Short mmCIF file of all heavy atoms in Angstrom, two decimals:
data_model
loop_
_atom_site.label_atom_id
_atom_site.label_comp_id
_atom_site.label_asym_id
_atom_site.label_seq_id
_atom_site.Cartn_x
_atom_site.Cartn_y
_atom_site.Cartn_z
N VAL A 734 -29.81 6.76 -0.15
CA VAL A 734 -29.90 7.40 -1.50
C VAL A 734 -28.70 8.36 -1.62
O VAL A 734 -28.37 9.13 -0.67
CB VAL A 734 -31.14 8.24 -1.52
CG1 VAL A 734 -31.26 9.04 -2.84
CG2 VAL A 734 -32.42 7.31 -1.44
N PRO A 735 -27.99 8.32 -2.83
CA PRO A 735 -26.82 9.19 -2.96
C PRO A 735 -27.12 10.66 -2.74
O PRO A 735 -28.14 11.15 -3.26
CB PRO A 735 -26.31 8.91 -4.39
CG PRO A 735 -26.95 7.55 -4.70
CD PRO A 735 -28.20 7.48 -3.93
N HIS A 736 -26.26 11.34 -2.02
CA HIS A 736 -26.41 12.75 -1.79
C HIS A 736 -25.97 13.48 -3.02
O HIS A 736 -25.16 12.98 -3.80
CB HIS A 736 -25.58 13.18 -0.57
CG HIS A 736 -24.13 12.84 -0.80
ND1 HIS A 736 -23.65 11.56 -0.53
CD2 HIS A 736 -23.10 13.60 -1.25
CE1 HIS A 736 -22.30 11.52 -0.81
NE2 HIS A 736 -21.97 12.77 -1.22
N PRO A 737 -26.44 14.69 -3.27
CA PRO A 737 -26.00 15.52 -4.41
C PRO A 737 -24.50 15.89 -4.22
O PRO A 737 -24.05 16.16 -3.08
CB PRO A 737 -26.90 16.75 -4.40
CG PRO A 737 -27.39 16.87 -3.05
CD PRO A 737 -27.50 15.46 -2.50
N ILE A 738 -23.72 15.94 -5.25
CA ILE A 738 -22.32 16.35 -5.22
C ILE A 738 -22.29 17.83 -5.03
O ILE A 738 -22.91 18.67 -5.68
CB ILE A 738 -21.60 15.99 -6.53
CG1 ILE A 738 -21.60 14.46 -6.74
CG2 ILE A 738 -20.21 16.54 -6.56
CD1 ILE A 738 -20.99 14.00 -8.11
N LEU A 739 -21.49 18.23 -4.03
CA LEU A 739 -21.36 19.63 -3.66
C LEU A 739 -19.90 20.08 -3.92
O LEU A 739 -19.01 19.46 -3.40
CB LEU A 739 -21.67 19.78 -2.16
CG LEU A 739 -22.04 21.20 -1.69
CD1 LEU A 739 -23.29 21.70 -2.32
CD2 LEU A 739 -22.18 21.19 -0.13
N ILE A 740 -19.78 21.01 -4.79
CA ILE A 740 -18.44 21.59 -5.16
C ILE A 740 -18.27 22.96 -4.55
O ILE A 740 -19.23 23.82 -4.71
CB ILE A 740 -18.25 21.60 -6.67
CG1 ILE A 740 -18.45 20.23 -7.27
CG2 ILE A 740 -16.87 22.19 -7.00
CD1 ILE A 740 -17.47 19.20 -6.80
N ARG A 741 -17.13 23.27 -3.94
CA ARG A 741 -16.86 24.62 -3.43
C ARG A 741 -15.90 25.28 -4.44
O ARG A 741 -14.73 25.01 -4.43
CB ARG A 741 -16.27 24.51 -2.04
CG ARG A 741 -17.28 23.95 -1.01
CD ARG A 741 -16.64 23.57 0.27
NE ARG A 741 -17.62 23.06 1.17
CZ ARG A 741 -18.01 21.77 1.19
NH1 ARG A 741 -17.53 20.93 0.28
NH2 ARG A 741 -18.92 21.36 2.09
N LYS A 742 -16.45 26.23 -5.21
CA LYS A 742 -15.68 26.88 -6.21
C LYS A 742 -15.07 28.14 -5.67
O LYS A 742 -15.67 28.91 -4.89
CB LYS A 742 -16.56 27.26 -7.44
CG LYS A 742 -17.10 26.04 -8.18
CD LYS A 742 -18.15 26.46 -9.19
CE LYS A 742 -17.49 27.12 -10.43
NZ LYS A 742 -16.86 26.14 -11.30
N TYR A 743 -13.82 28.43 -6.09
CA TYR A 743 -13.14 29.69 -5.65
C TYR A 743 -13.95 30.89 -6.09
O TYR A 743 -14.45 30.98 -7.20
CB TYR A 743 -11.73 29.74 -6.25
CG TYR A 743 -11.08 31.10 -6.07
CD1 TYR A 743 -10.49 31.46 -4.82
CD2 TYR A 743 -11.14 32.10 -7.03
CE1 TYR A 743 -9.95 32.70 -4.63
CE2 TYR A 743 -10.55 33.34 -6.85
CZ TYR A 743 -9.98 33.65 -5.62
OH TYR A 743 -9.47 34.91 -5.45
N GLN A 744 -14.05 31.82 -5.18
CA GLN A 744 -14.81 33.07 -5.45
C GLN A 744 -13.85 34.23 -5.12
O GLN A 744 -13.41 34.38 -3.95
CB GLN A 744 -16.06 33.10 -4.60
CG GLN A 744 -16.92 34.34 -4.89
CD GLN A 744 -17.58 34.38 -6.24
OE1 GLN A 744 -17.78 33.28 -6.83
NE2 GLN A 744 -17.88 35.47 -6.75
N ALA A 745 -13.53 35.10 -6.13
CA ALA A 745 -12.70 36.25 -5.88
C ALA A 745 -13.36 37.16 -4.90
O ALA A 745 -14.53 37.38 -4.90
CB ALA A 745 -12.36 37.00 -7.20
N ASN A 746 -12.57 37.86 -4.06
CA ASN A 746 -13.07 38.87 -3.14
C ASN A 746 -11.93 39.80 -2.83
O ASN A 746 -10.77 39.59 -3.15
CB ASN A 746 -13.65 38.24 -1.88
CG ASN A 746 -12.63 37.55 -1.08
OD1 ASN A 746 -11.75 38.18 -0.47
ND2 ASN A 746 -12.68 36.19 -1.02
N ALA A 747 -12.25 40.96 -2.13
CA ALA A 747 -11.31 41.95 -1.85
C ALA A 747 -10.19 41.41 -0.96
O ALA A 747 -9.03 41.86 -1.12
CB ALA A 747 -11.97 43.11 -1.12
N GLY A 748 -10.45 40.47 -0.12
CA GLY A 748 -9.39 39.96 0.77
C GLY A 748 -8.32 39.15 0.05
O GLY A 748 -7.12 39.42 0.25
N THR A 749 -8.69 38.34 -0.88
CA THR A 749 -7.75 37.62 -1.69
C THR A 749 -6.97 38.52 -2.63
O THR A 749 -5.81 38.35 -2.93
CB THR A 749 -8.36 36.41 -2.49
OG1 THR A 749 -9.50 36.93 -3.18
CG2 THR A 749 -8.85 35.33 -1.50
N ALA A 750 -7.69 39.50 -3.20
CA ALA A 750 -7.04 40.44 -4.08
C ALA A 750 -5.91 41.19 -3.35
O ALA A 750 -4.84 41.40 -3.85
CB ALA A 750 -8.06 41.43 -4.66
N MET A 751 -6.21 41.59 -2.13
CA MET A 751 -5.19 42.26 -1.32
C MET A 751 -4.02 41.33 -0.99
O MET A 751 -2.86 41.77 -0.97
CB MET A 751 -5.85 42.82 -0.05
CG MET A 751 -4.99 43.71 0.75
SD MET A 751 -4.62 45.24 -0.22
CE MET A 751 -3.11 45.71 0.57
N TRP A 752 -4.40 40.07 -0.70
CA TRP A 752 -3.37 39.14 -0.37
C TRP A 752 -2.41 38.94 -1.56
O TRP A 752 -1.19 38.92 -1.46
CB TRP A 752 -3.94 37.81 0.03
CG TRP A 752 -2.88 36.77 0.50
CD1 TRP A 752 -2.41 36.57 1.74
CD2 TRP A 752 -2.14 35.88 -0.36
NE1 TRP A 752 -1.37 35.73 1.73
CE2 TRP A 752 -1.19 35.24 0.44
CE3 TRP A 752 -2.12 35.66 -1.73
CZ2 TRP A 752 -0.32 34.27 -0.10
CZ3 TRP A 752 -1.20 34.73 -2.26
CH2 TRP A 752 -0.37 34.08 -1.43
#
Side-chain angles (χ1 to χ4, degrees):
V734 176
H736 57 278
I738 296 173
L739 200 63
I740 302 297
R741 293 166 182 82
K742 294 171 74 77
Y743 169 79
Q744 183 68 24
N746 65 69
T749 51
M751 190 64 204
W752 184 90

